[in-house]
């Protein structure tokens, strides 16, 4: 049975993470993704050598694509790209600010010639405004949105532990492309849209933004504790290990007191009567919880929380996540090929019933250049 995007051709002038991760989602769902790389290749190929000599970033974002090396300053290669685009459904680019326009690959120019084409541009700060020409990379956008000011301990701010600004932009680009494809099915006409990393990550920061706008002050950095909900974070068990738990409502608080802590008197304690009060008195609440938890090891405590219907978790390393029993039980790992040989990866989160995602090979630089040149050769040459 075909995948949802079988027959869709995507051409992407992409590098780094945001655009490549967006188009990889499309490849997983069956689209043909032709990745145009400049001579020398996507610089993300050289970020590290962690995946059997290949870049972990590149492996993550580029499986299932065709790599075609073109020098778009050379007339023949630029003409070849035009012939490829004439048969494409989607064009994605995250070139440096202004570069698409200088190459004649901006939305207005392309869609005037190709009205069915869906055009997606990904940038750091958008195509207008004083920051339009400013270079943007993930950590820098985390700084500009205020995320770094929210993350870390009270003493030290920190970046998020992965490329969250890139991923946010990628996922809005991905869903925007799917929406545009659906619209084209109804209207017969393509469309153009832009995604800025600043806007995408800003949308994900909605809760602290509204808290700051209307609550009078921004959330404080709270390490691995939640800044506005309590108890919600890490607590020491009797064996010295830590358990994470989350109490999301006053009803859960009553259950925790009565069934886990064995302290029904805490329900009536005015310091802990509702969530704002519990958060205000979190420094007093923590030792109360840890005194009760001292009677249980971490595994026993998690079983007790699960039995009471209180959300809990253990703190795992990435190594431990790779071996997570839930992933193994649900058969979530697959092998895919790469220039370094077989690699393991997780199936995409969107699981279409009865059809498995296409986890194609990670391409070597320029691996498909000759084949694509032959396929899209100038018939008049």
């Amino acid at each position: 049975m075909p995948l949802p995007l079988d027959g869709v051709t995507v051409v992407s002038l992409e590098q780094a993470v945001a655009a490549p991760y967006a188009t990889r989602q499309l490849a997983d769902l069956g689209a043909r993704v032709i990745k145009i790389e400049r001579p020398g290749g996507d610089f993300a190929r050289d970020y590290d050598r962690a995946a059997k000599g290949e870049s972990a970033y590149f492996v993550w974002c580029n499986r299932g694509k065709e790599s075609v090396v073109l020098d778009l300053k050379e007339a023949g290669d630029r003409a070849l790209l035009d012939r490829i685009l004439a048969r494409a459904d989607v064009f994605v680019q995250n070139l440096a600010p202004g570069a698409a326009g200088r190459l004649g690959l901006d939305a207005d120019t392309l869609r005037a010639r190709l009205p069915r084409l869906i055009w997606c541009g990904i940038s750091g700060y958008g195509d207008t405004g004083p920051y339009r020409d400013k270079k943007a990379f993930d950590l820098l956008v985390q700084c500009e949105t205020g995320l770094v000011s929210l993350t870390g301990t009270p003493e030290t701010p920190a970046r998020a532990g992965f490329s969250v600004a890139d991923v946010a932009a990628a996922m809005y680009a991905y869903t925007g492309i799917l929406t545009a494809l659906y619209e084209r099915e109804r209207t017969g006409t393509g469309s153009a849209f832009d995604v800025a990393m600043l806007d995408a990550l800003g949308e994900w920061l909605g809760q602290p933004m509204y808290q700051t706008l209307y609550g009078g002050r921004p959330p404080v950095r709270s390490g691995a504790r939640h800044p506005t909900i309590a108890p919600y974070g890490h607590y020491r068990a009797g064996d010295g290990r830590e358990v994470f738990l989350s109490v999301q409502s006053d009803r859960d608080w009553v259950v925790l007191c009565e069934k886990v802590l064995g302290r029904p008197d805490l329900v009536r304690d005015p310091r802990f009567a509702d969530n704002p009060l519990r958060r205000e008195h979190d420094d007093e609440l923590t030792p109360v919880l840890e005194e009760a938890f001292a009677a249980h090891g971490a595994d026993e405590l998690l079983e007790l929380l699960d039995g009471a219907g209180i959300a809990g978790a253990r703190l795992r390393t990435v190594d431990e996540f790779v071996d997570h029993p839930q992933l193994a039980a649900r058969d979530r790992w697959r092998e895919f090929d790469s220039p370094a040989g077989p690699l393991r990866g997780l199936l995409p989160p969107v699981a279409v019933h009865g059809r498995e995602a296409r986890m194609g090979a990670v391409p070597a630089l320029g691996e498909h250049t000759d084949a694509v040149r032959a396929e899209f050769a100038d018939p008049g040459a």
Side-chain angles (χ1 to χ4, degrees):
M1 185 180 294
L3 286 164
L5 296 185
D6 276 345
V8 171
T9 297
V10 179
V11 177
S12 188
L13 269 172
E14 59 179 31
Q15 55 192 357
V17 175
Y21 189 54
T23 58
R24 197 217 79 191
Q25 315 297 314
L26 303 171
D28 287 341
L29 289 177
R32 179 187 185 185
V33 178
I34 301 174
K35 178 184 178 77
I36 307 299
E37 299 191 63
R38 59 188 176 183
D42 181 344
F43 55 74
R45 288 181 178 272
D46 298 317
Y47 277 165
D48 60 70
R49 292 287 181 264
K52 295 184 178 179
E54 299 293 315
S55 163
Y57 280 92
F58 193 84
V59 162
W60 166 43
C61 295
N62 289 284
R63 67 173 181 242
K65 301 179 184 180
E66 300 171 34
S67 171
V68 176
V69 173
L70 299 181
D71 181 355
L72 297 183
K73 296 178 181 178
E74 197 276 319
D77 280 5
R78 181 64 183 80
L80 173 60
L81 178 59
D82 280 339
R83 293 194 296 276
I84 297 171
L85 286 171
R87 288 158 57 181
D89 299 283
V90 180
F91 175 63
V92 181
Q93 65 86 16
N94 69 334
L95 298 174
R102 290 192 295 272
L103 289 167
L105 297 171
D106 56 285
D108 290 343
T109 300
L110 281 184
R111 294 202 60 257
R113 188 171 77 249
L114 304 167
R116 284 182 53 82
L117 185 69
I118 293 163
W119 188 98
C120 169
I122 302 175
S123 64
Y125 298 106
D127 60 1
T128 59
Y131 277 42
R132 61 162 293 174
D133 295 324
K134 189 176 178 66
K135 282 190 174 182
F137 296 103
D138 182 85
L139 174 57
L140 309 182
V141 177
Q142 289 190 38
C143 290
E144 290 285 353
T145 57
L147 176 60
V148 172
S149 76
L150 301 172
T151 307
T153 67
E155 297 77 24
T156 308
R159 68 177 285 274
F162 68 102
S163 302
V164 63
D166 283 316
V167 171
M171 297 313 292
Y172 283 113
Y174 167 55
T175 56
I177 290 166
L178 296 180
T179 301
L181 285 167
Y182 174 72
E183 181 184 41
R184 195 182 68 175
E185 284 299 302
R186 293 183 293 118
T187 67
T189 304
S191 56
F193 65 94
D194 299 280
V195 177
M197 293 166 65
L198 186 79
D199 300 338
L201 190 55
E203 171 65 20
W204 285 14
L205 285 163
Q207 179 272 323
M209 180 182 68
Y210 283 113
Q211 184 178 349
T212 301
L213 277 172
Y214 301 109
R217 59 179 182 176
V220 297
R221 291 193 298 271
S222 55
R225 291 286 177 88
H226 198 284
T228 56
I229 302 174
Y232 192 167
H234 55 99
Y235 300 90
R236 188 175 299 277
D239 58 5
R241 293 189 293 165
E242 289 187 328
V243 167
F244 281 68
L245 65 90
S246 174
V247 170
Q248 294 280 318
S249 67
D250 292 339
R251 183 192 65 80
D252 283 352
W253 170 244
V254 172
V255 172
L256 180 72
C257 293
E258 293 180 349
K259 295 189 176 181
V260 179
L261 304 178
R263 292 285 306 276
D265 59 295
L266 293 175
V267 175
R268 299 182 297 278
D269 191 313
R271 297 172 298 171
F272 311 136
D274 59 23
N275 179 68
L277 286 167
R278 289 192 292 274
R279 188 65 190 87
E280 180 182 345
H281 296 281
D282 193 44
D283 289 346
E284 300 165 68
L285 178 58
T286 295
V288 171
L289 267 60
E290 291 188 337
E291 181 181 0
F293 293 162
H296 309 283
D299 292 339
E300 180 188 0
L301 179 55
L302 282 166
E303 290 180 6
L304 194 60
L305 291 168
D306 287 344
I310 301 296
R314 68 185 72 237
L315 178 63
R316 296 179 188 269
T317 64
V318 176
D319 279 344
E320 290 170 326
F321 171 70
V322 167
D323 294 325
H324 201 294
Q326 188 70 359
L327 296 177
R330 294 167 57 234
D331 191 26
R332 295 294 299 168
W333 290 100
R334 294 293 184 276
E335 278 196 352
F336 57 93
D337 204 2
S338 81
L343 299 169
R344 279 202 305 161
L346 288 169
L347 284 166
V350 176
V352 182
H353 289 197
R355 289 173 282 176
E356 187 164 300
R358 182 180 299 154
M359 295 175 65
V362 177
L365 176 60
E367 179 179 346
H368 303 89
T369 302
D370 290 345
V372 169
R373 284 188 184 280
E375 180 182 356
F376 293 92
D378 183 354

